[in-house]
């Protein structure tokens, strides 16, 4: 395998959207109507939203989408094609993010209520993330028809200044369009 990590390109949008839509539950994803809608969304976010793809020749192996904020990067979505899981690709994608973007990373993951969720948490812990249990967190709704807020865990890698929910108010505003006021 000659895996290459490259910024998401328009010609990859159909593969990105196919993997994105088949991987994430309705309440945990933004609804993109089509490739043009995705392209407009990326342009509208003015350089804060990014994604890179993992490819091997003409094989689309996965993607990682993230946002840049002061002091940390927030991983919004991260997926490896099911046919290519178990090949250390996820670890390589995270290492690419840590090296090329920032080692200070925040992400949300489902609580360990299912075997899949437990496995996901263990994967992140093996890659240097820690669960931030001190913050009770619910992922806000993406706002699409029928979408609900989802109880999640926050995990961090590196030096992310996370003391309370106000520590991520910029992320909540930019990603979910939620205003949080300090208590």
């Amino acid at each position: 395998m000659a895996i290459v990590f490259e910024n998401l390109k328009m010609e990859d949008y159909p593969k990105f959207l196919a993997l994105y839509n088949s991987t994430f539950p309705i309440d945990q994803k933004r609804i993109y109507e089509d490739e043009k809608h995705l392209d407009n969304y990326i342009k509208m976010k003015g350089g804060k939203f990014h994604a890179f793809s993992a490819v091997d020749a003409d094989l689309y192996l996965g993607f990682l989408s993230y946002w840049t904020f002061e002091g940390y990067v927030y991983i919004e979505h991260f997926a490896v094609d099911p046919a290519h899981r178990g090949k250390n690709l996820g670890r390589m994608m995270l290492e690419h993010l840590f090296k090329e973007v920032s080692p200070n990373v925040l992400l949300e993951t489902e609580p360990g209520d299912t075997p899949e969720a437990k496995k996901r948490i263990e994967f992140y812990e093996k890659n240097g993330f820690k669960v931030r249990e001190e913050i009770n967190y619910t992922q806000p709704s993406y706002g699409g028809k029928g979408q609900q807020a989802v109880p999640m865990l926050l995990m961090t890698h590196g030096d992310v200044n996370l003391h309370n929910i106000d520590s991520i108010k910029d992320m909540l505003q930019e990603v979910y369009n939620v205003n949080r006021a300090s208590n």
Side-chain angles (χ1 to χ4, degrees), residues 72 106 132 134-137 154 160-169 172 180-183:
Y72 67 95
L106 168 73
R132 302 301 296 267
E134 71 272 23
I135 297 178
N136 185 14
Y137 179 75
L154 293 176
V160 178
N161 184 10
L162 186 61
H163 301 292
N164 56 42
I165 202 71
D166 283 335
S167 302
I168 57 171
K169 65 183 175 188
L172 293 168
R180 298 270 178 161
S182 297
N183 294 343

Side-chain angles (χ1 to χ4, degrees), residues 62-130:
F63 68 86
L64 190 151
S65 66
Y66 63 96
W67 296 75
T68 53
F69 295 100
E70 187 174 329
Y72 67 95
V73 168
Y74 164 68
I75 295 176
E76 185 175 18
H77 293 100
F78 175 30
V80 173
D81 185 294
H84 299 285
R85 291 182 185 156
K87 300 177 183 177
N88 287 319
L89 185 56
R91 178 188 53 79
M92 290 186 279
M93 292 171 74
L94 287 173
E95 287 175 355
H96 177 76
L97 180 73
F98 300 153
K99 181 179 177 208
E100 299 299 324
V101 183
S102 175
N104 303 321
V105 179
L106 168 73
L107 60 79
E108 306 160 336
T109 191
E110 295 163 320
D113 301 338
T114 65
E116 295 85 11
K118 285 179 186 163
K119 188 175 177 181
R120 193 172 298 115
I121 291 167
E122 289 170 5
F123 164 78
Y124 286 123
E125 288 176 333
K126 284 182 202 171
N127 284 281
F129 284 84
K130 59 185 176 219

